[in-house]
Amino acid sequence: MKRWTAALVGLLGVAAALAAGHLVAALVGPPSSPFLAVGNTAIDFTPSPVKDFAVRTFGTYDKLVLLLGMALVLLVAALVAGLLSRRSPLPGTVLAVVLGLLGVAAVVYRPDLGQLGVLAPIASLVVGVAVFRALHARALRASAGPGPDAPDADAPDADAPDTDARRAGVDSEGRRRFLIASGATAVGAAVAGAGGQLLATRVDVEASRRAVGDLTPARPAPPIPATADFAGEGTPSFITPNRDFYRVDTALSVPRVRAEDWVLRVHGMVDRELNLRYDDLRRRDLVERTITMTCVSNEVGGPYVSTANFVGVPLRDVLREAGVRDGADQLLSTSADGWTAGSPVDVVMEEDRGALVALAMNGEPLPLEHGFPARLVVPGLYGYVSATKWVVDLELTTFAARKAYWLERGWGERGPIKVMSRIDSPKGLSTVTGRAVVTGVAWAQPTGVGKVELRSDGGPWQTAQLAEEVNGSTWRMWRAELDLPPGGHLVEVRATDADGVTQPQARVAPVPDGATGWHSVFFTIE
C-alpha cells in the first residue's frame, strides 16, 4: 500500500486503542486510562536528577511537557509501525500488543487502582489490534486493485477499454470503502475519547467544594500587617493568591474526591484506629495559621515558595486522639492517588509546630489542585515529607519499616527547611537608573529570619531592612538601598535565622535534602 495509507492505518489504530482505553477507564476508574497510567508510572521510574531537571526547566508545566512528549512518541511509533506494515499487518499488530501490555503492566503497578482497572488497557489492546488489522486489510484490498471476480484484462474476448474502465471503477470503489472505514474509525475514536472524558468528570467535585461553604476558624490567625512586605518595590505580596501558589507534585491528573465521600483513616502504631469523615473535622474548633511552604526542588533563587492562611484541625490533636504508641517515629501519609510522604513524629507532635490537617486556604475550601478535600501542612519541613495533598490515610509506623515515595528514590529522611534568601528586584541583567533599591525574601521556617545581608562586587556586607515579622513559620521580606557607581555590579544576599544559623555560601543541589548557596544577580547602573 502507499506510504500515506500505511501511516494513516497506524495512526488510526493507535487512536482507536487509546480512545477505547480512555472510555473504559471512565467506567472503572479514570486513572486506569492507559495513557495516564503509563505516564504516572513513567514519573515513578524517572531518575530523581531527571525529575529535578524537569521541575527546574519547565516548572509547573512539567506534566504538560511529559504528556506532550508521550503523545509525540506514540505518534512516531504509530507512523513507523504503519510504514513497516505496508505489505503485512504483523509490525503494527506487534506494536498494538506491546502498547496494550505496557498499559496493563502500568495499571497493575499503580497502588491506587483496583483489579477492575486492567479492563481499560485490555480494551485498548483488543480494539487497537482489531481496528488496525481491519483497516490494514481494507487498505491492502484497495491497493491491490480488483479481486478474483473482476474481469480478466488478458482474456481474448475482453474489450480493453471497457475492462480498464471497470478495473478503475473497482479500484475507486476499494479506495472509497477504505476512506469511509477510516473516517468512521476517526469519528468513533473521537466520540469514545470525548465520552470517556465526560464520564471521567461525572463526579462533580467542584459542586462538592462549593457546597462546603464557609470554614470559619474558631481561632483566626492574626491579621497580616501592611508592613509585612515591600510589594511596591518588587517583592511578592505577603500572602500568595491561590492561583499563584506553586504546585509541584507527581499527579498527572488531579484526584477527584468529593467531601461527602472522603474518609481519613488513622491507624498503625496507635491505641485506637480512627476513621474521620469531612464533617467530623469541620465540626471541630478550626484554627487558622499563616504558613510558608517550600518545595525541596527549589533551586537557589527559585520560585517554589509561597505563603497562605490555612484553616484546619491541628494534626497533633488528631494523633493524640488516636494515641501514638512508643516507638513510632514516622507518620506515613498517603494521597488518594497512592503517593506517600513520611513525616517525623516528634516534629508533627510539637505543640508549637502548628501542623494541620488543612481544609481551607486563603478564605476558601482547598482548590482541587492543592488537595481538596484535605491535605497536610507541617511548617518547617519541605513538602516532600510533610505536605500530602488529597490525604486519605495516616499510618503511625517507623522509618525502618516503611519508606515513603521520595525516600525510595534516595532523598533525605527528615527534610528540615534550610535558611534561604532570594533577590527579587532588580532582575538579573536588568538596567537600573539612579540609586539601586534591592528587595527580596528570606525564609527559615519554623525558627524565623533574624537578619539579611547584602554585598556588592565582593565588598563588605550591608544589613538590609526587614519587613515586619508575621511569625517564625513564614517568609520575611527585606529591602536595601545600595550606593553604587554607574556600570555593572554583582550583588549577593545571605540570611541568618533567629538562632544565628547563616545561609552557607557553598552551592548544593536540591537532591537529597534541599539546596544551599547565596543567590546573586548582575545588573547595570546608569
Side-chain angles (χ1 to χ4, degrees), residues 324-355:
V324 179
R325 293 179 182 172
D326 292 342
D329 62 7
Q330 178 184 205
L331 176 66
L332 188 76
S333 52
T334 303
S335 168
D337 65 353
W339 185 86
T340 55
S343 309
V345 169
D346 59 341
V347 172
V348 299
M349 292 297 289
E350 289 178 11
E351 185 173 1
D352 298 329
R353 176 68 63 156

Side-chain angles (χ1 to χ4, degrees), residues 157-487:
D157 58 344
D159 186 325
D162 290 345
T163 301
D164 291 342
R166 277 180 286 174
R167 175 177 293 163
V170 172
D171 290 350
S172 177
E173 178 64 16
R175 286 193 294 270
R176 187 180 70 83
R177 290 179 178 178
F178 170 72
L179 291 175
I180 289 175
S182 298
T185 301
V187 171
V191 170
Q197 190 62 29
L198 288 174
L199 287 173
T201 57
R202 69 188 182 277
V203 177
D204 197 345
V205 181
E206 281 292 357
S208 174
R209 182 173 176 268
R210 290 192 298 270
V212 167
D214 293 333
L215 292 166
T216 305
R219 287 175 285 168
I224 306 299
T227 53
D229 63 39
F230 298 110
E233 296 181 286
T235 70
S237 59
F238 188 84
I239 295 294
T240 309
N242 288 350
R243 66 180 181 276
D244 298 329
F245 206 98
Y246 80 87
R247 179 194 167 196
V248 176
D249 54 51
T250 64
L252 272 181
S253 58
V254 173
R256 303 179 64 83
V257 183
R258 301 190 308 166
E260 51 268 41
D261 300 329
W262 178 83
V263 178
L264 177 64
R265 182 187 179 207
V266 185
H267 64 109
M269 298 174 66
V270 296
D271 295 330
R272 63 196 67 84
E273 183 173 318
L274 304 177
N275 287 281
L276 302 172
R277 304 194 69 85
Y278 193 85
D279 284 344
D280 295 333
L281 293 186
R282 73 168 300 166
R283 282 196 294 263
R284 301 186 180 207
D285 286 342
L286 302 178
V287 300
E288 182 180 41
R289 290 177 176 146
T290 308
I291 298 171
T292 294
M293 298 183 65
T294 309
C295 180
V296 71
S297 298
N298 205 40
E299 296 278 354
V300 174
Y304 303 126
V305 54
S306 302
T307 301
N309 283 322
F310 291 97
V311 173
V313 174
L315 177 58
R316 180 173 182 267
D317 292 353
V318 173
L319 298 182
R320 290 180 66 189
E321 183 178 334
V324 179
R325 293 179 182 172
D326 292 342
D329 62 7
Q330 178 184 205
L331 176 66
L332 188 76
S333 52
T334 303
S335 168
D337 65 353
W339 185 86
T340 55
S343 309
V345 169
D346 59 341
V347 172
V348 299
M349 292 297 289
E350 289 178 11
E351 185 173 1
D352 298 329
R353 176 68 63 156
L356 292 175
V357 180
L359 307 178
M361 178 179 178
N362 290 337
E364 61 181 88
L366 290 169
L368 266 61
E369 63 272 18
H370 289 293
F372 180 83
R375 69 172 300 167
L376 297 189
V377 180
V378 183
L381 298 180
Y382 287 119
Y384 81 103
V385 296
S386 70
T388 304
K389 292 182 278 193
W390 317 289
V391 63
V392 294
D393 190 277
L394 299 177
E395 180 184 358
L396 275 300
T397 180
T398 65
F399 284 107
R402 296 288 303 275
K403 286 189 179 295
Y405 183 91
W406 284 113
L407 264 69
E408 289 180 336
R409 290 155 177 81
W411 290 68
E413 185 175 89
R414 299 180 67 87
I417 293 176
K418 299 175 180 179
V419 58
M420 185 64 68
S421 57
R422 182 184 76 196
I423 298 172
D424 288 305
S425 179
K427 299 297 183 184
L429 304 179
S430 63
T431 299
V432 176
T433 302
R435 192 175 181 85
V437 177
V438 183
T439 62
V441 297
W443 56 90
Q445 309 98 295
T447 307
V449 175
K451 180 173 63 174
V452 172
E453 300 169 289
L454 290 88
R455 71 175 182 182
S456 57
D457 306 317
W461 290 99
Q462 173 181 332
T463 302
Q465 173 191 352
L466 294 177
E468 186 172 348
E469 184 179 56
V470 173
N471 64 60
S473 292
T474 63
W475 56 10
R476 200 164 184 186
M477 312 298 180
W478 55 265
R479 71 182 297 277
E481 295 187 20
L482 303 180
D483 188 10
L484 300 173

